[in-house]
Amino acid sequence: MTAAPAVPGVVTAEQMRATGAAIVGMQEESGALPWFPGGQTDPWDHIESAMALSVTGFHAEAEAAYEWSRRKQRSDGSWPIRTVCGKVEDAGTDSNFCAYIAVGVWHHYLITGDEAFLQRMWPVVWSAIDCVLRFQRDDGAFRWGGDHRTGAMFGEALITGNASIFQALDCAIRIAGEMDQADDAWIAAHTKLGDAIRADTARDAEWEIFTPPSEHSMDWYYPILGGAVRGEEGQKLIARRWSEFVVPGKGVRCVDHRPWVTGAETCELALALDSLGDTADAIELIASIQHLRDPDGSYWTGLVFADGKRWPVEKSCWTSAAVVLAADAVSRTSVANGIFRDVRQRLAVAP
């Protein structure tokens, strides 16, 4: 059995195993991992939850989730933005949602070493990335989505989604290498995107390529979490808005002006800090959010700390997953614990 991660003084391996079991308890018979029982399934959070299952040793359940992705992929390589209990409620395409399959597949392969799984999922990854590349603009940024029926694309390029696509491209290129089918077009797309992200984050207030960062904390730390920004520039980026979002002892605000901390954003920031080498601070953040832990092992989405009320009143699959992935990263437990830390910033195109 795969050893679940443990962070001394914060969470035990038994507790993280219970969190994995709580995610399994929310999985639908189809293999889908919804936000919560009866709630929506989106292709990105579904994969993040599957990754947590891989880390906590629920490999069969994780593979059932990937099999759901394989079955539900459309002919153009995409997935619907939102499905509820098997019914498509938003048929649109989100480029970031589609790209994330590569991160999950590479992560599960690293943990299991299952070559048959990788072979089975390779056509899914190839088709998804082929679809995503159609959304890249000449400046390197990716349009966030489009209308599946007409093929029309929305022009706006969002920094959080693009930062996540950067990581996904790196994982897709690694998978292609394992398949001996490296694609220089993927490497070129990864390079152009990384250059675009670094150019805009360095400009701070004068963003020229992406839509300027919003009031949401994700827009702040995702360029680091996705791997495009590292080192001194990453430290500067973190310092820029730390006081706006971090509430000591309580977690990270989802929105800068609201007294509301969320478990997923807190643990994602922890992952970003760990990738910069600030692992002690990352552990503090993971510890700060344990007030959201439920006795059944799952995690509540957030807390309005002004009045002490949980909001929304839900224990979300993806919040539990974010805690597991952060615990794995800082504890260096699974062989895939560096899935965020080890993203390559630049790759060479073969001559």
Side-chain angles (χ1 to χ4, degrees):
M1 180 184 295
T2 300
V7 183
V10 180
V11 290
T12 66
E14 291 75 15
Q15 287 176 316
M16 286 290 90
R17 176 79 177 174
T19 299
I23 294 172
V24 170
M26 289 186 265
Q27 189 168 31
E28 297 175 0
E29 288 186 10
S30 65
L33 289 162
W35 286 15
F36 47 82
Q40 73 176 43
T41 299
D42 74 69
W44 196 101
D45 289 298
H46 167 80
I47 294 299
E48 182 181 42
S49 297
M51 290 166 68
L53 294 181
S54 300
V55 168
T56 51
F58 294 96
H59 296 167
E61 292 82 357
E63 290 178 16
Y66 290 111
E67 178 61 18
W68 180 90
S69 295
R70 190 189 67 79
R71 292 196 317 272
K72 298 299 182 180
Q73 187 177 37
R74 298 183 291 208
S75 60
D76 68 349
S78 70
W79 289 268
I81 287 175
R82 183 171 65 252
T83 302
V84 180
C85 298
K87 180 182 178 181
V88 174
E89 292 204 345
D90 186 339
T93 299
D94 183 307
S95 57
N96 170 40
F97 282 10
C98 296
Y100 209 60
I101 185 72
V103 180
V105 168
W106 182 245
H107 179 264
H108 188 72
Y109 173 67
L110 287 176
I111 289 175
T112 65
D114 187 344
E115 294 184 2
F117 167 80
L118 196 66
Q119 291 279 354
R120 187 166 62 254
M121 294 303 297
W122 165 237
V124 178
V125 172
W126 185 90
S127 183
I129 298 301
D130 185 57
C131 172
V132 171
L133 289 187
R134 295 198 288 271
F135 287 82
Q136 191 169 34
R137 304 187 317 206
D138 290 342
D139 59 11
F142 284 77
R143 302 170 181 88
W144 80 263
D147 186 319
H148 175 68
R149 296 166 301 174
T150 66
M153 296 183 186
F154 310 133
E156 193 175 18
L158 307 178
I159 188 60
T160 290
N162 272 264
S164 182
I165 290 173
F166 185 80
Q167 180 193 19
L169 286 172
D170 181 65
C171 290
I173 292 163
R174 293 176 188 270
I175 295 169
E178 288 291 311
M179 296 292 102
D180 292 324
Q181 296 187 44
D183 192 323
D184 287 349
W186 294 11
I187 296 173
H190 177 269
T191 299
K192 287 182 67 176
L193 176 57
D195 288 345
I197 292 173
R198 286 185 289 272
D200 257 16
T201 54
R203 278 189 279 264
D204 190 7
E206 302 298 328
W207 287 58
E208 298 176 0
I209 300 172
F210 301 97
T211 299
S214 70
E215 60 194 9
H216 290 83
S217 57
M218 288 191 298
D219 284 354
W220 164 51
Y221 61 74
Y222 248 84
I224 299 164
L225 180 64
V229 179
R230 288 285 193 260
E232 183 179 353
E233 291 305 313
Q235 297 288 353
K236 290 178 180 177
L237 187 57
I238 288 295
R240 199 178 290 166
R241 303 188 73 183
W242 180 272
S243 62
E244 294 178 47
F245 290 113
V246 178
V247 183
K250 291 186 172 63
V252 172
R253 297 175 193 254
C254 179
V255 180
D256 59 12
H257 63 279
R258 295 180 182 172
W260 174 42
V261 292
T262 48
E265 278 77 3
T266 301
C267 289
E268 286 181 339
L269 177 58
L271 286 163
L273 292 179
D274 178 65
S275 73
L276 293 175
D278 296 335
T279 303
D281 289 339
I283 292 172
E284 280 192 30
L285 283 174
I286 300 169
S288 75
I289 212 68
Q290 293 308 312
H291 59 80
L292 293 177
R293 186 176 178 84
D294 189 82
D296 70 1
S298 62
Y299 283 80
W300 296 88
T301 298
L303 177 79
V304 179
F305 57 82
D307 59 17
K309 293 181 180 179
R310 302 192 191 283
W311 190 84
V313 185
E314 65 185 30
K315 294 181 287 184
S316 48
C317 207
W318 41 269
T319 297
S320 295
V323 178
V324 169
L325 293 175
D328 188 42
V330 301
S331 65
R332 309 293 194 265
T333 301
S334 83
V335 292
N337 74 78
I339 192 74
F340 298 94
R341 190 186 321 110
D342 297 338
V343 179
R344 298 167 295 184
Q345 285 194 284
R346 185 175 293 276
L347 299 165
V349 177

